Amino acid sequence: MVTITIDGKKIEIPENTTVLEAARMLDIPIPTLCHHPKLTPFGGCRMCIVEIKGIPRPVTSCTTPVSEGMEVATSTAQLEGLRKTVMELILSDHPNDCMICEKAGACTLQELAYFYGVRENRLAGERRTYTKKDGNPFIERDLEKCILCSRCVKACDEIQGVEAIDFGYRGFKSKICTSYEKDLDCEFCGQCVAVCPTGAHTGKQWAFKGRQKDIREIDTVCPYCGTGCNITLHVRKSVSGEEVVRVTSKEDTWNEGWLCVKGRFGYKFINNPDRLTKPLIRITPKDREASGVKREENSPYDSHLTPYELFREATWDEALDYVASRLKEIKEKHGADSIGGLSSARCTNEENYLFQKFIRAVIGTNNIDHCARL
Amino acid sequence: MNKKIEIKICMGTGGIAAGGTEVRDSFESSLKDRNISAELQMGCDVHKVGCRGLCAKDVLVDVIVNNQKTTYQYIKPNMISRIIDEHIIGGDPVGEWSVAEDYHNFHEKQVKVVLSDCGNIDPESIDAYIAVNGYKATEQVLKNMTPQDVVEVMKKSGLRGRGGAGFPTGVKWEVCRGVESDQKYIICNADEGDPGAFMDRAVIEGNPHAVIEGMIIGAYAIGASKGYVYIRAEYPLAIERLVHAIKEATERGFLGKNILGSDFSFSIKLKLGAGAFVCGEETALIASIEGQRGMPRAKPPFPVYKGLWGKPTVINNVETLANIPYIIRNGAEWFSSYGTEKSKGTKVFALTGKVKNTGLIEVPMGITLKEIIYDIGGGIEGGKTLKAVQTGGPSGGCLTPDMLDINVDYESLAKVGSIVGSGGMIALDEDDCMVNVAKYFLQFTQAESCGKCVPCRIGTKRLLEMLDRITKGLGKEEDLALLESLSNDVKATSLCGLGQTAPNPILSTLKYFKDEYEAHIRDKRCPAGVCKDLLTYSILEQFCTGCGACMRACPAGAITGEKKKLHTIDPDLCIKCGACFDVCKFKSVKKS
């Protein structure tokens, strides 16, 4: 443990802590753009510079480890002046189109520009211009808005282990791109979208679906698999009721805000009219014929029928009673081993445990398996 | 056959470009065809040597007969038979082809340590290096010295890193030696990238074994068993000679397992750089060796604690390493007898620009600028006056003629806002525009920025845009203050040495040549007549004879006029190339 002083406040912290982390523990705000608590430090945006006694030039707090007796100043006239210059430089190479940017209102860059009052730019000059041409279905990459903070590159590499993107070119022409600048062809987990501090990475499905202030956030658990990632549904009132317009995940959840392609982008089923919202019981051919629908000669599987002709809606009580009675009947008639259970990777461990218990103890057979084994 | 004829042909990159290979082939075949060796009863040895500094006079050839050396300049294959006839057979050197006073003046004030064997021995023969006491230092170190002894000698010698930063080598080694680790590395930084600098290339091409020996000694001192040479792929000859030298040294047991029967094992690998200037920065260099994009990272941790593959690593420049065998052999006192109190030894500079003798020089630290420019460099070409000396390349600054008495060492140059740097030295005269010089260096640093940090990526771009505006006559009065403040901010906030020093050429020229900036901005005039957009060419009626020479020279067809009548230049068509100005014998073309 070492003791350091930041802006006159003392703190005792472990040696491998960075100055930035220490400042945040003390609730001392230091502006950052490229720093992300879950990724290795980059030190590229230069916003988090601080003055440390004994070091002649400002250093980035995100990369500097603490050492015993360190005295740090986080906000001096000199530092704020330098930060403002850095902001002016970043904004001199950034499209001024917050009005139609998907990220407006939730954009770190916009926030800092506001904080430093940068609008008229004395450092205006050439801006990088790129045509958006990425044909992938999920991720919108607007490289003109990119500030090269590397958070997407690091998330792709350090979190997902995919390395789909990296820096290309040099100097002012540097940009984040795929190899040979092809269309993005990765897992589309969207970690890059989650960590982007500007509007350079957004979800394609999010476009013009609403500003954050009109959105109700609902925390829930992703239904796709047994991992059970915590997700936040962004729900907005629309003409047809309420609509999920985006899915995110918070950093303080057990999945640390990381999601996969299904959890992040596979939410459209929620508002799909074909989605099942009630249990269905299959209509047997006998019942159907009794109600006047004739069975076709060469169509043993009733393939000409719509789902609504094959099934009827039921209540949960009715459906469960029906399943229970049928299982009982089969067991009595053919024995417990005539029944088997196949469980799903979408269920949690607890659910899978209960299901095997049900098959073994209630039904009385060892015929139990799981889709993950197939 | 005690008597011997020795012919040494300069075959560094400069020598080869001037035709060194042909000269050597021609010497060899002529001597063989005429059976000179048998005729004169003397051994006859023709071999290549590395750069000897004055590349402008290549191909330089030493002919040594009975220990009498004559150096010839500008040698072509067709001159060889006369040299053989008159000098080798006749015993009378060909006076008109041998080097003149300026060649001797060029060398007189130089002190050669690093370059002492460059241009003297065959760089492709380990025997030639051993013959001049090569690998003696390795033997001495491995047999009689502990690693700590080596560190002490280095500290005592006062050797400081020759790559630019000037950090004491012995201290760097000692720190790395003190770090516990199962594996350490030593890296030779041969990613020389400053425009106009070719010191490291010449050392590797001229004496690769000295660099290898330096690495062996360094590795022994810090406890490293593996070494890398990070060399730019644009140096094919240096790479070829280095690869050959490593092979020879391995065959002779100077590299490999249990070197000279000791417990110490060391091997060297080559890593070719792909042409990024920033990879000369040590953390970017490490990233590049590791197979990542060459981008610097913040220090600390310094490479001596956490370097290549996360292990303690010492990175030394080529020239630093090449000094080491000589320091071990001759002792720390000998080395520190050269130089000033804080800057010991010698420094190699690439002297270029408007001096008469351009080339590679090695001078004791603390020599005056005047001695370099006027004694070694022979003064300014064409009777013009010196305007400035730019040192340290794109990270450096300018010195003015009233600083000619300044001592060239780390501290004195830093005091006036310049640096020794890796050793570029460019003399500028009245025909050089200082704004344009600053723009030239900014173009370089801007293009070579890695793009990682904001001030370097965008800041240098904005600085360059401002300089570009000024040289085009579009500069505004407030640009001067903005240039200065942005330069200072880029210096203060950039991540690595590249960005932190990139604005130096601007700040230095602003400090000493503000009047030139003001002339460009206020009067829309380039005092040196360099900035094209501020120039107009016209023909003076009173001098024009209507010869038509300018009309024929003009590549844009901008000049019209009948024979023997006044010619005129159409300013809309003129591309301001200056061809008419150069070709007119009557000085009737006016540049303003």
Side-chain angles (χ1 to χ4, degrees), chain A residues 15-143:
Chain A
E15 266 169 57
N16 51 5
T17 322
T18 64
V19 173
L20 180 68
E21 286 163 344
R24 298 217 160 146
M25 285 178 207
L26 285 169
D27 277 338
I28 294 171
I30 295 177
T32 59
L33 278 166
C34 70
H35 175 262
H36 188 284
K38 296 288 191 299
L39 303 172
T40 55
F42 184 63
C45 77
R46 319 306 287 173
M47 288 302 286
C48 73
I49 46 173
V50 292
E51 284 169 10
I52 295 175
K53 205 173 173 187
I55 300 179
R57 46 183 303 120
V59 295
T60 42
S61 56
C62 70
T63 58
T64 309
V66 293
S67 61
E68 182 58 44
M70 201 178 239
E71 285 179 41
V72 183
T74 66
S75 181
T76 62
Q78 159 84 352
L79 285 174
E80 296 302 348
L82 290 173
R83 285 182 188 144
K84 187 169 180 183
T85 304
V86 171
M87 273 314 289
E88 283 178 294
L89 285 171
I90 296 176
L91 293 168
S92 74
D93 187 28
H94 190 84
N96 200 359
D97 64 354
C98 300
M99 301 80 115
I100 54 155
C101 181
E102 207 46 55
K103 197 82 174 185
C107 172
T108 322
L109 184 67
Q110 193 186 36
E111 206 176 303
L112 288 175
Y114 166 79
F115 189 70
Y116 284 97
V118 183
R119 180 138 200 266
E120 296 307 318
N121 201 325
R122 65 194 171 119
L123 301 172
E126 187 192 330
R127 260 206 314 111
R128 295 166 299 152
T129 47
Y130 301 117
T131 319
K132 278 190 267 182
K133 56 175 182 187
D134 201 326
N136 82 75
F138 299 111
I139 299 170
E140 185 73 85
R141 299 168 69 228
D142 188 349
L143 296 178

Side-chain angles (χ1 to χ4, degrees), chain A residues 41-46 49 57-58 60 63-65 78 81-83 85-87 89-93 122-128 146-148 166-174, chain B residues 274-278 293 295-301 446-455 457-459 461-462 465-466 469 482 485-486 488-496 500:
Chain A
F42 184 63
C45 77
R46 319 306 287 173
I49 46 173
R57 46 183 303 120
T60 42
T63 58
T64 309
Q78 159 84 352
L82 290 173
R83 285 182 188 144
T85 304
V86 171
M87 273 314 289
L89 285 171
I90 296 176
L91 293 168
S92 74
D93 187 28
R122 65 194 171 119
L123 301 172
E126 187 192 330
R127 260 206 314 111
R128 295 166 299 152
C146 174
I147 57 163
L148 290 118
D166 206 335
F167 281 78
Y169 304 94
R170 254 187 258 166
F172 190 69
K173 292 185 186 128
S174 301
Chain B
F277 175 66
V278 73
R293 177 180 164 93
M295 286 202 296
R297 61 158 174 79
K299 294 182 276 190
Q446 195 271 322
E448 291 297 340
S449 161
C450 78
K452 179 171 177 173
C453 74
V454 173
R457 182 178 75 237
I458 311 174
K461 171 82 179 167
R462 298 293 172 247
E465 283 172 349
M466 269 187 257
R469 279 205 300 271
L482 192 56
S485 84
L486 183 58
N488 285 324
D489 290 356
V490 169
K491 268 174 81 86
T493 52
S494 285
L495 192 157
C496 82
Q500 287 164 12

Side-chain angles (χ1 to χ4, degrees), chain B residues 295-314:
Chain B
M295 286 202 296
R297 61 158 174 79
K299 294 182 276 190
F302 289 92
V304 282
Y305 297 103
K306 245 182 161 184
L308 185 62
W309 317 114
K311 303 288 182 187
T313 304
V314 156

Side-chain angles (χ1 to χ4, degrees), chain A residues 25 40 86 92 116-117 129 188 205 238 261 299 313 328 351:
Chain A
M25 285 178 207
T40 55
V86 171
S92 74
Y116 284 97
T129 47
F188 298 110
Q205 306 161 40
S238 71
V261 60
S299 180
E313 281 187 358
K328 224 183 258 174
E351 287 160 344

Side-chain angles (χ1 to χ4, degrees), chain B residues 211-226:
Chain B
V211 181
I212 294 172
E213 199 176 0
M215 285 182 79
I216 297 170
I217 297 165
Y220 176 74
I222 63 165
S225 61
K226 284 181 186 162

